[in-house]
Amino acid sequence: MTVNQNADPGATRSTGAGDIQAYRAQLLYFRDTPKAEDEACEWIRDGLLVVRDGVIEQCGEHDRLIGDLPPGTSVHDWRNHLITPGFIDTHIHYPQTDMIASPAPGLLPWLETYTFPTERRFENPEYAQDVAKFFLDELLRCGTTTALVYCTVHPGSAQAFFAESHARNLRMVAGKVMMDRNCPEYLRDTAESGARDSEDLLRRWHGTGRQMYALTPRFAPTSTPEQLGRCSELAQRYPDVFIQSHVAENRDEVKWVMDLFPGYRSYLDIYDRYGLLRPRAVYGHCVWLDDDDWRRLRDSGAVAAHCPTSNQFLGSGLFDHATARNFGTPVTLATDVGGGSSFSMLQTMNEAHKIARLSGHHLTARRMFWQATQGAAKHLGLTGRIGTLEAGAEADFIVLDPKATPLLARRSAYAESLEELLFALAMLGDDRAIAATYAAGREVHRRARTAAHP
Ligand code: GUN
Ligand code: ZN
């Protein structure tokens, strides 16, 4: 990558009219239209992205826009690369960073053996801060600029996460886990303290800079009816905060839940009856839903977060793309680290595609890129702010390198269409394919130089 200086040297032009930077590359994004993502896809082969003060000011053909740049504007030359909006991971656990890839025979033993003891370490705010830093570095290395993040039950874990994200000016959504039963004593809050701490945190962080809060009852089995009731009150009082939880991930879990909550039609029905299905509510997994659940999820405005690497790693089951699509229920993509085995949304697409294939469904690369950018923004109520390169959006974008590895270089050289190029990136790419990541117009990750990438 080289930087052309139109006139004066220096990476940044500051004239009092704001900091302006321009990026020349292939540009790919999806417009906000009700059309299918294929039709909403904008692909500009020789494009220019103009960013002023952390906001996208223009996005279009290089030859049309270059003449209008103020003299001296830095033009970052990313030709032969593809700029897309940063990825949005809609379900991930930052406290599970240090226990990713822990083997267990399924979800419930995995929680007992690895997850809960690891989450205990977040009693210590210094440890929380250390993990938050590493976790955010790792997201950015993988091109993820926004995530819906579970913290632990300790309010300090959320405080540490938000403080680090705010210092980097990242747009993140996070929340303290609420959990007052069916877990070790050392990880329990109470209905009262969970609600109080959550409210304190959301008042402190929701809307502070780019931070947003998510009420986070871990999953129905670890909350008493009283705690779900307190969570429901908060959800009503703060209608624009997010809600995140797990639902219908694993057969043993579903059976356990139905024993714990007799009289409910289904697992999802529990959240519904507590008023926790609504826009900006995001439910991880959704593997074992029935038709009524899919319909109800759609009608409520809530979102299903598909976690393919986790569902395979823990043997939870195969997400039913075809049914979700038939009902028109919003679906986003998520890593679910540390149940998920990769921070990379490209690898997440790879696995999502294979799971769809197993049920005879074809997920196009365009659709997966849409789900990981504009589609997620839309379903999270963040249209026009993130997930797009359209003017006015926050300048969270990534630079993808179709030649990141020798194999990717060979395959992408033979790509005969945009779909083939995106498909190769999704199947063969990972953190190595992210040449750089920008958040609010600032470079927050640059791939290390190697012999292959001098
Ligand atoms: N269900 C409840 N907690 C968790 C968790 O931490 N990870 C996963 N994958 N499922 C859960
Ligand atoms: Zn999860």
Side-chain angles (χ1 to χ4, degrees), residues 93 96 107 110-111 115 119 218-219 246 249 285 310 314 336 339:
H93 300 254
Q96 296 173 13
L107 171 67
W110 175 84
L111 285 171
T115 314
E119 293 194 6
R218 183 177 207 119
F219 64 156
H246 299 81
E249 175 175 0
H285 302 284
S310 172
L314 292 171
D336 192 31

Side-chain angles (χ1 to χ4, degrees), residues 115-128:
T115 314
F116 292 150
T118 302
E119 293 194 6
R120 183 179 200 173
R121 297 183 201 146
F122 287 75
E123 288 162 358
N124 175 355
E126 280 170 26
Y127 179 73

